[in-house]
């Protein structure tokens, strides 16, 4: 029998028996998190045969004093981070320099060592010292760098998103491996404080699938797509939400829907709209359920949103399409049309950061791979059902289901 804390001989604790001849021996005071004998891990509580005076260990991380160089550890019930003094940075305040920053144009100076600094360039700038201006129409994101920062773009908060929204975007993965990681595509929301709930809207990649989640304040709703077809160079996403019901369509996969738990129907978010990453590089500072551990790796373009079915899609930002800020974002090198393969005679059209397949009559979908039903508005010629009649496709043609008060083949008679 192996014991933790105090050792037993028979039914008597060892320290009680040894105390009579060898001085006092105390049991261990503190926390034991993991227990392994040889190569076998023992579950401390579940596999114990007995015990006494053992409580659950809840030692806040800040009690371990993880911050260095005078950093101040700040934590709540879930998370922690180090508030670093001037001239120090890093998750543990472990890096120095940047006191005489060589970086220009609002770049983030990061101390690579005590002597060398790296300039993390803001949106629209490039170069070692961020001195070169670049025009970005199709942003390229580099994920999470070796310093722990993600590349990102931040746009002004999207107005009127409370009860209804639709997003459309396209993305190109940097490589096969980037599809299998845990990467953030976009995020807006906040961690609840006081009367504000953990409302958020997030889209990301996890294990080769697209993950779409939102929380209206009464629980998280999540849709996970089928695995991406990695033979496609560019992927297309269309998602939305009306009150509690959300939906997601990826490439030419079937539409998926979900209904959020609880009774709340409004998304109350006040933060900026983040694309590709987040200005904080610690995911623990984001609401539970919205956390992706890395930034996106690859190109994201043609991001559009509307907050009413009667509106046209628009690019985020004020003015439209212009981010407020960004970090380590480059220009996607390849023309999107060199990567997209439109099927069935479709033609690739690109304009700036916008790209799409213009399909021939009878075809639809992101890559013109879906046939147009005889009952759909795009069908040529259109169906002939009148007076609100519902067109129902048949194996050969269609029929009209007539509303009350009408009759005839096409509901043309009163």
């Amino acid at each position: 029998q192996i014991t933790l804390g105090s050792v037993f001989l028979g039914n008597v604790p060892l320290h009680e028996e040894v105390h009579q001849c060898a001085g006092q021996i105390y049991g261990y005071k503190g926390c034991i998190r993991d227990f392994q004998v040889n190569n076998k891990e023992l579950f401390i509580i579940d596999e114990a045969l007995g015990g006494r005076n053992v409580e659950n260990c809840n030692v806040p991380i800040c009690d371990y004093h993880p911050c260095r160089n005078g950093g101040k550890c700040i934590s709540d019930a879930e998370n922690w981070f180090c508030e670093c003094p001037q001239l120090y940075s890093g998750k543990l305040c472990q890096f120095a320099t940047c006191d005489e920053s060589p970086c220009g144009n609002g770049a983030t100076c990061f101390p690579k060592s005590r002597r060398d600094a790296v300039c993390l360039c803001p949106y629209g700038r490039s170069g070692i010292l961020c001195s070169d201006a670049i025009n970005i129409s199709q942003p390229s994101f580099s994920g999470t760098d070796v310093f722990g920062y993600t590349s990102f773009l931040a746009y002004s908060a999207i107005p009127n998103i409370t009860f209804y929204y639709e997003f459309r975007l396209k993305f190109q993965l940097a490589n096969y491996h980037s599809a299998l990681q845990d990467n953030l595509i976009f995020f807006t929301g906040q961690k609840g404080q006081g009367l504000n709930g953990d409302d958020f809207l997030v889209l990301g990649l996890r294990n080769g699938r697209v993950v779409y989640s939102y929380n209206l304040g009464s629980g998280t709703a999540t849709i996970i797509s089928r695995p991406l077809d990695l033979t496609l160079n560019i992927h297309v996403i269309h998602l939305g939400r009306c009150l509690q019901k959300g939906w997601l369509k990826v490439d030419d996969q079937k539409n998926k829907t979900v209904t959020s738990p609880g009774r709340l129907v409004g998304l109350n978010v006040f933060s900026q709209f983040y694309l590709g990453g987040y200005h904080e590089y610690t995911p623990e500072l984001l609401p539970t359920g919205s956390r992706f551990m890395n930034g996106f790796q690859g190109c994201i373009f043609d991001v559009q949103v509307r907050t009413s079915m009667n509106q046209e899609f628009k690019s985020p930002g004020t003015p439209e399409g212009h981010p407020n800020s960004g970090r380590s974002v480059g220009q996607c090198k390849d023309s999107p049309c060199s990567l997209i393969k439109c099927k069935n005679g479709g033609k690739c059209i690109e304009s700036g950061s916008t790209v799409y397949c213009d399909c021939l009559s009878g075809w639809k979908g992101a890559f013109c791979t879906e046939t147009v039903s005889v009952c759909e508005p795009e069908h040529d010629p259109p169906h002939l059902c009148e007076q609100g009649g519902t067109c129902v496709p048949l194996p050969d043609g269609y029929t009209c289901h007539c509303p009350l008060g009408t009759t005839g083949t096409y509901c043309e008679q009163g």
Side-chain angles (χ1 to χ4, degrees), residues 115-195:
R115 293 184 178 181
D116 297 327
V118 173
C119 301
L120 306 179
C121 296
Y123 174 74
R125 288 284 171 174
S126 181
I128 294 178
L129 302 180
C130 305
S131 55
D132 302 329
I134 58 172
N135 181 33
I136 298 176
S137 59
Q138 296 150 4
S140 174
F141 301 88
S142 55
T144 305
D145 62 27
V146 295
F147 311 113
Y149 287 95
T150 60
S151 60
F152 75 91
L153 291 177
Y155 298 85
S156 55
I158 299 173
N160 306 317
I161 201 174
T162 307
F163 301 114
Y164 182 92
Y165 58 74
E166 281 184 74
F167 284 88
R168 300 190 306 200
L169 63 90
K170 300 177 179 68
F171 67 85
Q172 174 195 355
L173 296 168
N175 49 55
Y176 174 83
H177 183 65
S178 65
L180 303 178
Q181 295 184 347
D182 190 45
N183 298 338
L184 177 69
I185 296 177
F186 71 61
F187 168 85
T188 182
Q190 62 282 320
K191 190 165 185 176
Q193 294 181 350
L195 298 177

Side-chain angles (χ1 to χ4, degrees), residues 38 83 187 256 402 410:
N38 295 328
E83 190 176 79
F187 168 85
K256 283 193 169 186
C402 300
Y410 303 113

Side-chain angles (χ1 to χ4, degrees), residues 34-177:
D34 301 295
F35 184 41
Q36 181 175 314
V37 178
N38 295 328
N39 293 322
K40 176 176 171 49
E41 180 181 1
L42 299 178
F43 296 93
I44 295 176
I45 299 300
D46 295 347
E47 297 187 36
L49 301 178
R52 186 174 67 194
N53 297 333
V54 178
E55 298 178 350
N56 195 32
C57 182
N58 290 307
V59 179
I61 190 69
C62 286
D63 286 4
Y64 293 102
H65 306 292
C67 305
R68 305 174 191 173
N69 298 308
K72 181 181 179 182
C73 185
I74 298 176
S75 69
D76 57 22
E78 293 183 29
N79 312 308
W80 66 277
F81 66 96
C82 292
E83 190 176 79
C84 300
Q86 193 175 9
L87 309 185
Y88 289 93
S89 62
K91 183 161 185 172
L92 304 178
C93 307
Q94 69 270 44
F95 298 110
T97 62
C98 284
D99 49 335
E100 297 178 1
S101 173
C103 307
N105 300 299
T108 300
C109 177
F110 192 88
K112 185 171 64 173
S113 67
R114 289 192 172 273
R115 293 184 178 181
D116 297 327
V118 173
C119 301
L120 306 179
C121 296
Y123 174 74
R125 288 284 171 174
S126 181
I128 294 178
L129 302 180
C130 305
S131 55
D132 302 329
I134 58 172
N135 181 33
I136 298 176
S137 59
Q138 296 150 4
S140 174
F141 301 88
S142 55
T144 305
D145 62 27
V146 295
F147 311 113
Y149 287 95
T150 60
S151 60
F152 75 91
L153 291 177
Y155 298 85
S156 55
I158 299 173
N160 306 317
I161 201 174
T162 307
F163 301 114
Y164 182 92
Y165 58 74
E166 281 184 74
F167 284 88
R168 300 190 306 200
L169 63 90
K170 300 177 179 68
F171 67 85
Q172 174 195 355
L173 296 168
N175 49 55
Y176 174 83
H177 183 65

Side-chain angles (χ1 to χ4, degrees), residues 122-123 152-158 271-274 316-319 321-327:
Y123 174 74
F152 75 91
L153 291 177
Y155 298 85
S156 55
I158 299 173
S271 79
Q272 298 182 100
F273 177 75
Y274 293 94
T318 306
H322 290 261
N324 295 341
S325 62
R327 179 174 58 218

